[in-house]
Amino acid sequence: MDFAGNTGCYSAFVVWSRSAITMFVDAFSKQVFDSKESLSTAAECVKVAKEHCQQLTEIGLDLTFTLQSLLVKDIRAVLQSYKDIIIEATKHRNSEEMWRRMNLMTPEALAKLKEEMRSCGISFQQYTGDDCWVNLSYTVVAFTKQMMNFLEEGLKLYFPELHMVLLESLREIILVAVQHVDYSLRCEQDSEKKSFILQNATFLHDTVLPVVERRFEEGVGKPAKQLQDLRKSTRPVRINPDSTTSLV
């Protein structure tokens, strides 16, 4: 409204605004990305910056594209970095897998885990009883928590230009877990332990992966077709225990 009578001045103001946000992002990136903050801290900072940019859009100054184009390189790098960290952590846990039920030791610890799973949207009640045992392996539970956290933080960092980066990162992380379960099913000879492994595989396939797909679609407004295809190709009931070739 201030520049209604002089559009030339308004154009100059827009040019100045773009240079100002460039200076802001330069300082922002040094604080948030160059200082190696955690993924959750970086995601929260980007979320706040996006919200403030939206406030400008609501009064007629849309700098969203400028903000996105300036941040996309750093966000891509941080997503790929944390993807690699999760994959390495998952592989390390997989290498020590004993396929035993998880013992939380105290009712308080079990209640905390239930709440963590509930907050992630994971249906978990059927895998617990009145005691402190969980009918899943520690490896699968730890993977689920880490992946769901990555997804939620990734959605805060999301820009349309990063759609495939986030989607492929999730796919690679999931693949490490399902390949491990598939390999364990084919190699395990003990029928009781094989049944337990299958229970973990079913939890991943029927409970965790649909939640990941739903949250991704809710967060970005598009279905995660690659994740849907991955889930269909790793259906536990299709795994042949006598096979020497992975279906993944």
Side-chain angles (χ1 to χ4, degrees):
M1 290 186 294
D2 289 341
F3 291 101
N6 192 331
T7 55
C9 287
Y10 183 68
S11 298
F13 175 69
V14 172
V15 171
W16 171 85
S17 298
R18 288 175 61 87
S19 66
I21 200 169
T22 300
M23 292 172 61
F24 164 74
V25 171
D26 183 56
F28 179 90
S29 294
K30 289 176 181 176
Q31 292 288 331
V32 175
F33 298 110
D34 294 352
S35 59
K36 306 299 182 184
E37 293 290 346
S38 67
L39 180 64
S40 60
T41 299
E44 190 61 31
C45 290
V46 171
K47 177 174 176 285
V48 172
K50 289 164 70 175
E51 289 171 349
H52 287 184
C53 196
Q54 180 59 33
Q55 290 176 13
L56 292 176
T57 301
E58 291 169 0
I59 62 171
L61 184 62
D62 190 351
L63 297 171
T64 304
F65 178 78
T66 303
L67 179 69
Q68 292 178 357
S69 62
L70 292 170
L71 285 177
V72 69
K73 180 180 177 181
D74 286 324
I75 296 177
R76 179 185 291 110
V78 78
L79 284 173
Q80 292 175 336
S81 174
Y82 274 90
K83 174 205 70 178
D84 293 340
I85 290 172
I86 292 172
I87 287 175
E88 286 306 309
T90 303
K91 287 180 177 179
H92 177 72
R93 288 192 298 265
N94 289 350
S95 69
E96 300 179 344
E97 179 66 85
M98 299 297 291
W99 291 115
R100 295 173 178 169
R101 290 196 304 158
M102 188 177 178
N103 187 356
L104 275 298
M105 305 301 291
T106 67
E108 292 78 14
L110 179 60
K112 181 181 177 183
L113 178 61
K114 286 181 178 179
E115 176 57 27
E116 289 174 342
M117 289 295 183
R118 187 200 64 77
S119 66
C120 293
I122 302 293
S123 178
F124 196 66
Q125 194 66 33
Q126 67 269 37
Y127 295 98
T128 64
D130 296 329
D131 53 17
C132 300
W133 291 89
V134 176
N135 294 320
L136 295 167
S137 80
Y138 165 77
T139 298
V140 169
V141 171
F143 166 79
T144 300
K145 290 167 59 178
Q146 200 168 28
M147 184 186 61
M148 293 305 301
N149 179 69
F150 178 80
L151 171 59
E152 293 302 325
E153 304 303 346
L155 289 175
K156 293 178 185 176
L157 292 165
Y158 180 86
F159 288 131
E161 294 90 339
L162 295 166
H163 182 84
M164 290 306 301
V165 174
L166 180 57
L167 191 56
E168 284 301 315
S169 294
L170 288 167
R171 186 180 180 279
E172 288 180 43
I173 291 170
I174 292 168
L175 203 53
V176 173
V178 297
Q179 283 178 332
H180 170 62
V181 173
D182 176 63
Y183 176 79
S184 299
L185 269 173
R186 290 186 289 105
C187 294
E188 184 57 56
Q189 300 299 315
D190 181 85
S191 59
E192 185 174 339
K193 187 167 287 189
K194 181 171 287 191
S195 176
F196 178 67
I197 297 172
L198 184 59
Q199 181 168 295
N200 281 268
T202 301
F203 170 72
L204 284 175
H205 182 274
D206 293 349
T207 301
V208 178
L209 298 190
V211 172
V212 173
E213 293 169 22
R214 184 173 69 251
R215 280 295 298 122
F216 185 91
E217 184 170 356
E218 289 172 352
V220 309
K222 297 179 182 178
K225 186 176 185 303
Q226 289 88 338
L227 300 184
Q228 294 170 355
D229 293 343
L230 177 61
R231 179 165 56 90
K232 291 174 183 177
S233 70
T234 58
R235 200 179 307 274
V237 296
R238 295 180 59 222
I239 295 174
N240 179 0
D242 298 323
S243 172
T244 58
T245 304
S246 173
L247 287 174
V248 177

